[in-house]
Amino acid sequence: MKRLLGYASQWSVRPGDTVDFFLSSEPEETVSLDIVRVINGAPAALDLRPIPGATLGSRPVANQPIRTGSYLTLTMQDGFAQRGVTVAFSVKPTRDALACILDTGTLRLWRDAGGSLALEGAGEPNRVACHRMARGKWHSVRIVLDAIEQSAVVTVETASAGPACTISIPVPLGWQGIQRLSLGAKTDGSSALDGVVSGFRLWGADESSPDIALDFRDRLDCDQLTNRGTAKVGARLVNAPTRGVPGPNWAGQAFSPAEDQALYDAVHFHSDDLEDARWEASASWVIPPGFESGSYALRARGSTETTYVPFFVNPARAAPCRPVALLASTFTYHAYANHRIALESPEYEISELSALPVLDEELQTLQHMPELGASHYDRHVDGHPIYVTTRRRPILNMAPDTSNWSYNADTSITAFLHAREIDHDIVTDDLLHDEGVSALDGCRVLITGTHPEYLSTREWGALVAFLDRGGRLIYLGGNGFYWRVAIAQDRPWLMELRRAESGARYNEAEPAEYHMQFSGERGGLWRRLGRPPQGLVGVGMVADGWDRGAGYRLTDAARDPRVAFAFEGVHGDVLGAPCDAHPGAAGQEVDAADPELGTPDHALVVASSTMLGAGYYLAPEEVVFLHSATTGDVNARVRADLTFFETPAGGAVFSTGSIAWGAAMAAEQGRTDVGRLTENAIRRFDDPRPFAFPQASGPGGDG
């Protein structure tokens, strides 16, 4: 397993910005640091180029722990010294494990793995002879603390489970008032609860005018809570718990906070939540003025292993983008970060591999270090889908010389662009989300990665605006523009994904939890949100499979003069057939044209994949009613379509519809038929001559 780990303060920077690097080593050792440019990160074709003058020296690196678990911390600005205090709230445990539900500093309420409650004062825990607080059910809790009598009266009532259980026991309080209180963990953050909490109130004398009445419905996008009570308090949520979840009064009356905010007065704590590892910085680097845009990484070399911490340099703020830019799919890299499906999902072995997964170094490390967190493909330890994840932690599968998926698969495109001497800038998902289409000023051709699966609404809008002003888009992937995500405005290292109905997925949002806390938007497939990718790039996800790839067979449309530029020097009727250099240009996850979903009427499907075989299956959204004809050997819809069309503003779109295209394109330094066709498309798209829109000029317009 890996012993040297690291992460960066931010992934997307510009010249003049500072990027901080956080490293941990077990055992402690001296590590040498430098910056390298990532040309190709695939293990079999690794190409990393040191940057002159970007050596950061050597320094000792010690082990830095990570503490997971979300909870609420509440600070009384003036203290709370009344001798009688009542605390009331509702709680729904979602996992049977020892956890601290409430910690007032002088009293703790525990729930053990069997569901029994315990109170802990100044002495040893006192077991409460109370009925079991069952997992998955709402329980109302009221605790009356009497500092004079040194006692606590605990009342627990479970909905639809008979009368309330009230227990009065002596508890040594050592009363000095309440200065700080935590809900969902001890005040130091340990022993975190897996469960949902609602309606937290605290009062001294008058229940009708509580000192503290926390509003879990308000300001869902931040970590600060509003107190509707009379006291001056600071209430903060630690480690990004899940918000926008229904409380105890929900019974199907509404399905989003916007419909009935009162029903969403709850927060879901998880013992494996993580917002930020909060390590001490090991090194910092200021991006020099005029530094070339591209994909880079900190290289940290210890005595026995090397680790890489990636980041991307966008064009300088004052400078226009180069005419050709590559869109780094940082939101997709984020979605897959530290995915554990090979360890924890039985479906992975069936659908992805048809065999047992190999526990490589990456998986062994994740298995040994659960505190590194999981991905949007995984579930929390209580079984709840993971909605929010962070970049501020070591991410094992987003670095050079790691698994060849997503991040490293996209470096096949940077390797191709360098091999074919095509000057280009890098523009990240983050930059388009933050700055919109202005981030592409100067750009004529925008090239996607192999798998731009995840986009925010603002990024989608930037791409539409880019095409509307005559931009040219080359989509070199499959399963793109698929899911909507949201980014926390005040903590942009956090991303949210809620997979609503349908789509290929390993988890799905709970029925009343489709709307995202960071944006208020409904999550899910762009297709089900009224924006199918076919309307943006001509093709959309139809199938995936993992047994073998295929080539593309040219159609009659390939002879259309409008697209003649793409086939100059390309021979034969089949492109990208499997060979020694690559396993086929069509494969893994594939997209096809569909006029009913928005593929333009004038779009040319110039090639379609040959038979992909029985190991490829239609995506769930393509199967309205169950039937057996869902595989590539019997269903013609299981295919990848190579598509081209012009836009009214003089631009154009070229889409490959396959994740596997990138590897086939980059093979043999880009000198394959797939590489030649791709280069032809890029060169023509970079030509400032406008494309003629067929409806305006008729078929056979300028190609």
Side-chain angles (χ1 to χ4, degrees):
M1 59 173 283
K2 290 187 69 64
R3 303 286 183 178
L4 178 60
L5 302 172
Y7 64 94
S9 57
Q10 50 189 329
W11 291 359
S12 178
V13 295
R14 289 185 185 268
D17 292 343
T18 299
V19 57
D20 298 320
F21 301 105
F22 306 84
L23 300 172
S24 175
S25 176
E26 175 61 39
E28 180 177 348
E29 67 170 332
T30 298
V31 174
S32 64
L33 307 175
D34 67 339
I35 305 296
V36 296
R37 184 163 191 176
V38 181
I39 305 300
N40 196 330
L46 197 63
D47 185 356
L48 308 176
R49 302 179 186 179
I51 304 301
T55 299
L56 279 62
S58 299
R59 61 205 66 198
V61 174
N63 180 51
Q64 301 202 64
I66 298 175
R67 171 166 284 178
T68 63
S70 59
Y71 61 101
L72 164 71
T73 179
L74 190 149
T75 303
M76 307 287 290
Q77 294 182 13
D78 300 324
F80 193 86
Q82 297 189 43
R83 311 302 288 181
V85 178
T86 301
V87 179
F89 57 91
S90 296
V91 59
K92 181 174 71 173
T94 54
R95 180 176 176 239
D96 290 329
L98 179 66
C100 182
I101 298 175
L102 175 72
D103 186 352
T104 70
T106 57
L107 178 84
R108 295 187 184 120
L109 176 65
W110 293 85
R111 179 180 180 272
D112 67 20
S116 298
L117 298 180
L119 282 173
E120 179 182 2
E124 293 297 318
N126 294 280
R127 294 290 173 183
V128 180
C130 183
H131 69 288
R132 180 175 179 268
M133 182 180 276
R135 175 172 54 87
K137 295 183 179 297
W138 280 104
H139 311 269
S140 62
V141 178
R142 177 178 293 218
I143 304 174
V144 180
L145 305 177
D146 189 327
I148 296 176
E149 298 295 331
Q150 293 285 289
S151 69
V153 177
V154 181
T155 301
V156 179
E157 184 175 3
T158 304
S160 305
C165 175
T166 300
I167 305 295
S168 178
I169 64 169
V171 180
L173 294 174
W175 187 259
Q176 296 179 351
I178 297 176
Q179 300 293 327
R180 184 181 176 192
L181 176 151
S182 66
L183 185 66
K186 293 170 62 176
T187 53
D188 65 1
S190 62
S191 303
L193 170 74
D194 290 283
V196 192
V197 175
S198 175
F200 182 86
R201 295 174 296 136
L202 180 150
W203 63 91
D206 186 0
E207 180 176 358
S208 65
S209 180
D211 300 270
I212 300 173
L214 296 182
D215 190 344
F216 292 130
R217 305 164 301 177
D218 190 34
R219 303 164 68 189
L220 296 181
D221 59 338
C222 70
D223 61 358
Q224 302 294 319
L225 291 178
T226 300
N227 178 30
R228 303 297 182 186
T230 60
K232 294 180 179 180
V233 300
R236 184 172 67 89
L237 295 168
V238 178
N239 266 340
T242 301
R243 305 188 65 188
V245 296
N249 295 320
W250 184 86
Q253 309 96 313
F255 289 87
S256 76
E259 287 184 69
D260 192 337
Q261 194 181 46
L263 296 174
Y264 283 79
D265 183 27
V267 59
H268 194 154
F269 297 122
H270 299 99
S271 61
D272 55 353
D273 277 332
L274 180 66
E275 178 199 323
D276 188 332
R278 293 186 171 85
W279 287 354
E280 294 291 328
S282 305
S284 298
W285 190 55
V286 179
I287 314 301
F291 196 74
E292 187 171 5
S293 175
S295 175
Y296 295 90
L298 173 77
R299 178 168 58 183
R301 288 181 284 190
S303 58
T304 60
E305 66 178 283
T306 297
T307 197
Y308 300 95
V309 181
F311 60 98
F312 301 91
V313 178
N314 296 288
R317 288 179 176 83
C321 187
R322 282 175 169 157
V324 177
L326 174 63
L327 180 61
S329 300
T330 45
F331 293 165
T332 299
Y333 309 154
H334 188 145
Y336 280 96
N338 288 351
H339 74 76
R340 298 171 178 268
I341 52 177
L343 294 173
E344 299 175 359
S345 173
E347 291 87 356
Y348 181 83
E349 297 177 11
I350 298 170
S351 65
E352 307 282 348
L353 297 174
S354 300
L356 295 174
V358 176
L359 289 181
D360 57 14
E361 182 182 54
E362 176 186 314
L363 291 176
Q364 290 178 44
T365 305
L366 290 174
Q367 191 172 49
H368 183 74
M369 300 181 68
E371 66 270 23
L372 293 178
S375 75
H376 288 282
Y377 286 74
D378 302 296
R379 294 180 177 272
H380 288 288
V381 291
D382 67 351
H384 190 257
I386 292 177
Y387 297 156
V388 175
T389 64
T390 179
R391 296 179 180 181
R392 289 192 169 179
R393 55 170 170 156
I395 294 174
L396 305 187
N397 58 340
M398 182 192 157
D401 204 22
T402 60
S403 55
N404 195 25
W405 180 254
S406 194
Y407 170 82
N408 276 328
D410 282 358
T411 66
S412 65
I413 299 176
T414 57
F416 171 83
L417 294 174
H418 280 271
R420 307 317 300 164
E421 298 182 343
I422 298 173
D423 292 337
H424 64 282
D425 281 336
I426 291 282
V427 174
T428 61
D429 286 344
D430 300 72
L431 194 68
L432 284 189
H433 173 82
D434 291 339
E435 300 184 10
V437 71
S438 65
L440 297 175
D441 287 350
C443 176
R444 185 179 299 120
V445 187
L446 184 64
I447 302 170
T448 77
T450 61
H451 195 190
E453 185 175 0
Y454 299 89
L455 280 81
S456 70
T457 302
R458 286 159 62 177
E459 184 182 13
W460 186 288
L463 293 175
V464 171
F466 176 71
L467 292 176
D468 285 348
R469 74 182 191 190
R472 293 93 186 269
L473 181 61
I474 297 180
Y475 169 35
L476 294 182
N479 186 219
F481 316 100
Y482 198 59
W483 297 105
R484 170 188 267 168
V485 298
I487 306 299
Q489 185 172 351
D490 62 335
R491 293 160 292 166
W493 54 91
L494 296 178
M495 188 175 86
E496 182 178 11
L497 168 66
R498 301 202 184 196
R499 301 181 196 269
E501 300 149 351
S502 195
R505 63 215 186 276
Y506 279 92
N507 66 45
E508 61 183 356
E510 296 295 324
E513 300 176 7
Y514 289 172
H515 290 76
M516 295 186 283
Q517 64 195 63
F518 293 154
S519 66
E521 300 169 306
R522 180 185 172 95
L525 293 179
W526 282 109
R527 171 173 170 170
R528 292 186 65 89
L529 296 168
R531 302 185 193 182
Q534 289 88 344
L536 182 70
V537 293
V539 296
M541 168 76 165
V542 290
D544 71 4
W546 307 97
D547 58 349
R548 66 178 180 86
Y552 288 75
R553 186 173 299 280
L554 271 58
T555 67
D556 291 342
R559 302 184 183 90
D560 193 303
R562 291 162 48 200
V563 75
F565 65 88
F567 294 96
E568 294 177 5
V570 178
H571 306 288
D573 293 330
V574 176
L575 297 168
C579 61
D580 292 340
H582 60 78
Q588 297 180 338
E589 294 176 346
V590 294
D591 299 1
D594 189 337
E596 292 188 4
L597 290 174
T599 302
D601 292 338
H602 66 285
L604 299 175
V605 177
V606 298
S608 294
S609 60
T610 56
M611 184 179 290
L612 284 168
Y616 281 77
Y617 298 84
L618 282 173
E621 63 271 23
E622 293 289 317
V623 183
V624 178
F625 190 80
L626 296 179
H627 60 87
S628 61
T630 62
T631 55
D633 57 333
V634 294
N635 195 312
R637 291 164 60 201
V638 178
R639 69 184 192 277
D641 284 340
L642 191 65
T643 307
F644 166 79
F645 63 92
E646 305 89 345
T647 64
V653 175
F654 178 84
S655 297
T656 66
S658 165
I659 287 179
W661 183 277
M665 174 193 71
E668 299 180 357
Q669 298 293 302
R671 290 188 291 267
T672 62
D673 51 0
V674 172
R676 181 61 183 269
L677 186 146
T678 306
E679 183 175 355
N680 289 343
I682 296 172
R683 301 289 186 191
R684 172 59 186 96
F685 275 42
D686 190 28
D687 185 331
R689 288 179 300 144
F691 288 87
F693 190 64
Q695 291 182 1
S697 62
D702 177 25

